[in-house]
Amino acid sequence: MSFDRTLEDIAAQAWAVMEEIGRLTGTKEEGITRPCYGEGEQIAAEKVTDFARSLGLELEPDRFGNLHGVVPGADPSAKAIMTGSHLDSVPGGGNYDGLAGVMASLATAAAALRDGGNRRSIRAVAMRGEESPWFGTAYVGSRMMLGHSTLADLGGLPRFDTGRPLQEHLDELSYASAPVMPISRETVAGFFELHIEQGPLLTAKNLPVGVATDIRGNTRYPEARCLGEYGHSAALPRAYRHDAVLAVAELALEFERFWEEAERHDPSCVFTMGKFGTDPSTHAMTKVPGEVRFSFNVGSIREEVIAQADALLSRLLDSITQRRGVRFEMGPRFGSLPSRLDPALIAMVEESAKAIGHDALRLATVGHDAAMFHQAGIPASVMLVRNANGSHNPRESMAEADFVLGARVLGGAVMLAASG
Amino acid sequence: MSFDRTLEDIAAQAWAVMEEIGRLTGTKEEGITRPCYGEGEQIAAEKVTDFARSLGLELEPDRFGNLHGVVPGADPSAKAIMTGSHLDSVPGGGNYDGLAGVMASLATAAAALRDGGNRRSIRAVAMRGEESPWFGTAYVGSRMMLGHSTLADLGGLPRFDTGRPLQEHLDELSYASAPVMPISRETVAGFFELHIEQGPLLTAKNLPVGVATDIRGNTRYPEARCLGEYGHSAALPRAYRHDAVLAVAELALEFERFWEEAERHDPSCVFTMGKFGTDPSTHAMTKVPGEVRFSFNVGSIREEVIAQADALLSRLLDSITQRRGVRFEMGPRFGSLPSRLDPALIAMVEESAKAIGHDALRLATVGHDAAMFHQAGIPASVMLVRNANGSHNPRESMAEADFVLGARVLGGAVMLAASG
């Protein structure tokens, strides 16, 4: 049987296991909850270990709880090809964000084990805590695996609701004697991640798969404030007001205009003010609003668009402050530069898709675990599978046929890389 | 001694009592708290009763706890002139909002008792619960006194924090056997209220007193919602978004533009979106905001400006809904028509001010207890005294000299009315 045919069969089994994990870690109404180093994530870890074993692939944990399944290659001195994604989910999220990539990578490794003939070894990996809102930081498993952070850095992070540190949650899972795997640019030639799109473009264009060309950079202020002055809504004429709602509304609409303009030459540009709130303990219908807390988030794959956004923000804060007599306290800025993903790996995904009759749509993407590999100097690639109803919500959805097709595209690309 | 000289002396004593009541019912830092039928309001009631008695004026409570002090007139068949304001305050408010009008009216009545010679009787009144956030409704004392509402209507209203009904709070004060005073257009020829301005115009124009020409009408939606759709802040291009923050921001700025335009011929026009909030349990920097709760509040003394605001709101809700794919649930509308205050009473305030060398600035105002008299068909007038730092906050402030001057203007106007 051909590798692709074998993979198609195994991917159908992987789909069934994924649905079972979904039933064990959530409900249709409440959605899926698999917190980093928590119960749901561990249920998924055990189920994928059993599934891999049933296909002859033993998964071995590393010290951080990531699970590795290795298919040896013909040339033991060649760098490996890695593929994988994350086991965890946001609270009340969907079943496929992360887990679909884990299942497709295990199916790929299992098919290679059976029908491979790969020169390089193939290492499938199920990672921990990519979302990780429990500990307020993302990429927990891949960051430590790739050496960007250590357990000393992250072990003390308190779970946001109970205060219990990350280290204790990890200790409960008994990986303290597991090895730190040697994952680096010295040992790994490339990383492929399959992920749901999380957006509507593949659905809108009626295409099942896409390939990411770039990881968006961004300029972000999670906890900004605008301070005006409270006043009597009837007794205070316009000229005497310092209205924080109107000030932040102006900022929002000016950035919407910027975005509209930028989109003409940069469809990757996004702008979101996801948080916008007057103070419920002080505000009133009959008071001029004296304070607004808000978040600010601009992303693009083009460095100059991010720079333009930063410059516009600075100009607008000045001019709004002047005109409206308010004050902005923007709080910490979290920025990252856009990254171009590896052209050779992109070409392999495109070739693999074409081989089974599909064009992969070129898209920009957010980071995913692939961003940690990219930052570690390992060529990285993200391929995207069509999904309905967005992500991070219980209505997130994926068709079995799209998953199987995605797994075949991933597997084909991994085999191309592993044979090179 | 002339009436004005007597009043000036008594007003200075009234100021001292008012300062004492302030010390007994709040602090500089936390502000003043005199809840309707609560401890602070009752302290004020007892202190003003003692003060009036010290001047020979016996205050008599009515069934609703409002305190009346009557100075008989030469013509017992003539309708009375009333003057007064409210004893209560918002929580953490200022000392002068309400109480200054009570003290000035008692000073006026006490001076008339000594040096009056009024044809009509003069009835000073200290009213209850004009602010009354405890029970979620304003004008509690004046509404019942004037028959707009009965104890059966309001007695069941629960205190917002404890749920204890208004009736129980009132019963504790033992006014159940007090009379319902016959206050109506059949018995009262006019009502004068002195109140702090609550805005900055008198300060800005360096004038100590003003007179209200109109009570603003308004169109208000205290609990409106805009429903968009949550989505991934990076994966969702602009064309697929239904962003509730941008939708409500557009509504806000369009109304700011309307207001700017309206102000050219209607300086009384005001617009406030005092509440504007995404849902803290759901929102995130990385999510397109799917819901905003907001309040909407437009006021003007011109009926056609309110009608224009209503028409613009309706057009904007349609067009924003269309363009942005969001939905508005505006909730209940609370509207009131603007009212022109009595020209004869306005003229008396102006004449009284001029007699002691001042021009009263003509202003629009919010309702105050005077609005309840106006609604009962009793000619009503509000005179405003300069205050610093707005109102409904601990920094609210008033100069003793302005209070004494305001009391003299009030007293002069009351005497003009009582002699006519």
Side-chain angles (χ1 to χ4, degrees), chain A residues 285, chain B residues 218-223 296-298 331-336:
Chain A
M285 176 180 72
Chain B
N218 50 57
T219 181
R220 290 173 164 182
Y221 295 86
E223 296 292 348
F296 177 91
N297 183 355
V298 171
R333 172 182 184 274
F334 293 90
S336 66

Side-chain angles (χ1 to χ4, degrees), chain B residues 256-278:
Chain B
E256 190 185 36
R257 228 158 282 148
F258 166 81
W259 183 19
E260 231 173 302
E261 192 62 39
E263 252 190 353
R264 294 187 195 174
H265 49 91
D266 175 15
S268 81
C269 183
V270 286
F271 162 65
T272 309
M273 202 175 266
K275 298 159 70 173
F276 188 135
T278 48

Side-chain angles (χ1 to χ4, degrees), chain A residues 62-180:
Chain A
D62 65 22
R63 178 122 1 127
F64 316 110
N66 305 301
L67 306 173
H68 300 248
V70 177
V71 182
D75 177 357
S77 69
K79 294 185 188 178
I81 298 301
M82 279 187 79
T83 178
S85 190
H86 60 95
L87 291 165
D88 74 321
S89 79
V90 296
N95 195 35
Y96 308 104
D97 181 344
L99 190 55
V102 170
M103 301 313 293
S105 68
L106 294 177
T108 292
L113 196 64
R114 201 174 294 170
D115 290 305
N118 38 302
R119 183 176 83 83
R120 299 176 185 276
S121 67
I122 295 168
R123 180 183 287 261
V125 62
M127 288 173 282
R128 298 281 188 162
E130 191 261 355
E131 310 279 3
S132 191
W134 258 17
F135 302 114
T137 186
Y139 308 121
V140 167
S142 55
R143 250 158 81 183
M144 294 197 285
M145 179 178 79
L146 288 152
H148 298 303
S149 303
T150 65
L151 255 177
D153 296 333
L154 305 187
L157 288 176
R159 183 173 145 180
F160 83 99
D161 50 354
T162 63
R164 197 180 176 209
L166 181 146
Q167 181 77 60
E168 283 188 23
H169 285 274
L170 177 56
D171 286 348
E172 232 171 46
L173 305 178
S174 307
Y175 297 120
S177 60
V180 174

